[in-house]
């Protein structure tokens, strides 16, 4: 794993993170309910019980309710703050007043977003702020100014990006004094573009690849922690109904189940271990708010897949032999 900085009395960041996108229920402007807070407490407790200390947010999740729920949890258990890492993201705007949903890395928007995030979470600082999705209109100089202001004001300790290619990170980094330490990307047994781009070099099949070539390598070379969003593939290989799914998905799900039985663990642990066995040191951001499913991920770090097991799952998930 790349080195996320040790932090606060040398507490290291956990290998798994909890994604809080499900906190607060539906994506709407309805008020947070006591049931949301109860569910949030359970998810946080289950996470802490398996050693998770990194919690991933974004200002848009459930339209701000996810951060409000988490803020309420911290208000009720203030002692938690110093032992955990809180990460949030900004830069995506909802549609409003006839203007479509869009991205916004303007200085004004980034600074205002962080104030909103800190207010909803009820905290003084974020451990990590990620720029959520690349804004085609981003002006790297302006982003650098915003980053500098957020850093010097103490509102954000460390920075990262999400869904960005190597070139986009390089562009931002060349203007920014602060290092971008994280890149959060969709990666799972169902989203294998990050591997396909690599194995398709010098192949016609490369024409269909969507994952930007060199991004994985750039992150590894520059000690940028790669975080995987959607790492459980929304349960596709760990218990979700498979009606109508492709033969490749069905076969992969069967293999995951068999390996889980053989290794006396859960299917979730196998699915995550497959990501974590890759030498890039991927940090999965699991998105379930279900305490049982969170606990089912506990073994992920302990399980080591052999080269043969890893390739068996990879080849099954791609649905055809490697070139
Ligand atoms: N950077 C980005 O652009 C981006 C985009 C999306 C998400 N994220 C982050 O990544 C986190 C994870 O993403 P994700 O939620 O897409 O990923 P995930 O961890 O792959 O999937 C979690 C979702 O799948 C459901 N699920 C898991 N196992 C299941 C099963 N066996 N049967 C039925 N449903 C099952 C969960 O429902 P239950 O809650 O009921 O278990 C939950 O809705 C999010 O919370 C968020 O923090 C980042």
């Amino acid at each position: 794993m790349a080195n996320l900085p040790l932090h606060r009395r040398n507490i290291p960041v956990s290998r798994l993170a909890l994604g809080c996108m499900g906190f607060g229920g539906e994506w709407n402007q309805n008020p947070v309910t006591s049931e949301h807070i109860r569910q949030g407490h359970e998810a946080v407790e289950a996470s802490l019980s398996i050693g998770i200390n990194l919690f991933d947010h974004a200002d848009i999740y459930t339209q701000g309710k996810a951060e409000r729920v988490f803020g309420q949890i911290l208000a009720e258990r203030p002692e938690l703050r110093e032992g955990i890492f809180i990460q949030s993201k900004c830069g995506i705007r909802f549609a409003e007043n006839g203007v479509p949903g869009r991205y916004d890395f303007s200085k004004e928007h980034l600074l205002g977003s962080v104030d909103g995030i800190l207010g909803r979470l009820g905290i003084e600082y974020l451990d990590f702020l990620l720029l959520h999705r690349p804004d085609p209109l981003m002006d790297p100089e302006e982003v650098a100014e915003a980053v500098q202001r957020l850093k010097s004001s103490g509102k954000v300790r460390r920075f990262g990006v999400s869904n960005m290619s190597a070139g986009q990170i390089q562009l931002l980094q060349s203007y920014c004094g602060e290092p971008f330490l994280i890149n959060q990307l969709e990666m799972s047994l169902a989203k294998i573009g990050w591997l396909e781009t690599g194995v398709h070099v010098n192949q016609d099949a490369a024409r269909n690849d969507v994952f930007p070539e060199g991004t994985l390598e750039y992150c590894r070379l520059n000690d940028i922690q790669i975080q995987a969003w959607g790492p459980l593939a929304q349960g596709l290989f760990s218990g979700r109904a498979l009606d109508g799914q492709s033969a490749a998905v069905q076969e992969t799900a069967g293999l995951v189940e068999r390996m889980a039985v053989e290794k006396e663990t859960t299917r979730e642990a196998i699915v995550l271990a497959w990501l974590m066995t890759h030498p890039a040191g991927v940090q999965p951001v699991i998105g379930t708010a279900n305490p049982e499913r969170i606990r089912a991920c506990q073994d992920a770090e302990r399980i080591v897949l052999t080269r043969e097991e890893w390739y068996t799952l990879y080849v099954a998930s791609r649905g055809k032999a490697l070139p």
Side-chain angles (χ1 to χ4, degrees):
M1 177 152 91
N3 296 319
L4 273 184
L6 295 185
H7 188 56
R8 285 199 310 274
R9 296 190 300 274
N10 281 349
I11 303 169
V13 174
S14 56
R15 188 71 200 278
L16 291 179
L18 184 78
C20 300
M21 192 167 72
F23 282 37
E26 303 290 316
W27 288 53
N28 58 34
Q29 295 284 345
N30 295 347
V32 161
T33 65
S34 54
E35 183 57 10
H36 293 145
I37 293 163
R38 189 193 62 74
Q39 288 169 349
H41 270 297
E42 280 190 13
V44 168
E45 198 45 51
S47 303
L48 296 172
S49 78
I50 66 163
I52 290 176
N53 65 11
L54 173 59
F55 295 87
D56 180 70
H57 286 270
D59 55 356
I60 57 169
Y61 291 167
T62 57
Q63 297 197 13
K65 282 189 291 173
E67 289 174 336
R68 281 200 190 89
V69 168
F70 206 85
Q72 187 57 37
I73 292 167
L74 288 176
E76 291 172 23
R77 296 184 65 187
E79 74 284 1
L80 290 183
R81 178 65 186 104
E82 284 305 300
I84 63 173
F85 298 87
I86 302 180
Q87 168 172 295
S88 192
K89 317 182 199 74
C90 65
I92 299 181
R93 299 183 73 147
F94 292 118
E96 60 197 336
N97 307 324
V99 186
R102 60 207 181 277
Y103 307 135
D104 190 345
F105 283 7
S106 65
K107 183 171 150 190
E108 189 190 13
H109 181 72
L110 297 179
L111 296 179
S113 300
V114 170
D115 286 340
I117 290 168
L118 295 178
R120 285 187 293 277
L121 287 166
I123 57 176
E124 303 285 312
Y125 66 92
L126 276 175
D127 294 286
F128 304 108
L129 175 73
L130 310 190
L131 302 174
H132 205 155
R133 277 189 183 277
D135 171 11
L137 296 181
M138 69 184 171
D139 169 357
E141 239 175 302
E142 202 179 335
V143 173
E145 274 177 43
V147 163
Q148 189 46 45
R149 281 270 289 277
L150 291 168
K151 177 75 180 180
S152 59
S153 63
K155 291 178 182 176
V156 176
R157 297 219 163 149
R158 301 289 187 146
F159 298 84
V161 298
S162 177
N163 303 302
M164 284 208 197
S165 69
Q168 289 166 330
I169 303 172
Q170 266 176 309
L171 176 63
L172 285 175
Q173 195 61 82
S174 66
Y175 285 84
C176 244
E178 276 302 304
F180 290 102
L181 294 171
I182 296 167
N183 190 13
Q184 191 177 107
L185 300 157
E186 187 174 17
M187 303 163 88
S188 71
L189 262 174
K191 288 282 174 185
I192 53 173
W194 57 289
L195 297 169
E196 293 292 275
T197 300
V199 300
H200 282 158
V201 169
N202 206 24
Q203 298 282 316
D204 286 346
R207 285 197 208 100
N208 298 322
D209 285 334
V210 289
F211 191 86
E213 193 184 343
T215 296
L216 210 59
E217 293 77 6
Y218 178 81
C219 292
R220 292 177 71 180
L221 282 167
N222 290 281
D223 255 354
I224 295 173
Q225 176 64 55
I226 297 168
Q227 294 183 340
W229 66 263
L232 292 170
Q234 290 79 39
L236 203 55
F237 308 108
S238 51
R240 216 172 81 194
L242 291 176
D243 313 328
Q245 294 295 340
S246 68
V249 167
Q250 312 239 9
E251 192 197 336
T252 310
L255 287 165
V256 167
E257 189 165 11
R258 206 179 73 205
M259 282 186 202
V261 172
E262 275 166 18
K263 293 179 187 294
E264 299 182 343
T265 188
T266 60
R267 290 173 289 188
E268 284 84 354
I270 298 293
V271 167
L272 297 174
W274 180 79
L275 276 175
M276 293 159 84
T277 296
H278 189 279
V282 176
Q283 182 178 43
V285 182
I286 57 170
T288 177
N290 174 330
E292 255 175 61
R293 264 203 265 284
I294 293 170
R295 283 189 285 269
C297 298
Q298 177 167 22
D299 263 358
E301 214 175 333
R302 179 183 69 80
I303 301 291
V304 179
L305 300 183
T306 63
R307 180 170 274 272
E308 289 68 31
E309 289 166 336
W310 189 89
Y311 268 104
T312 299
L313 291 176
Y314 174 32
V315 174
S317 75
R318 72 197 300 278
K320 53 181 181 296
L322 285 162

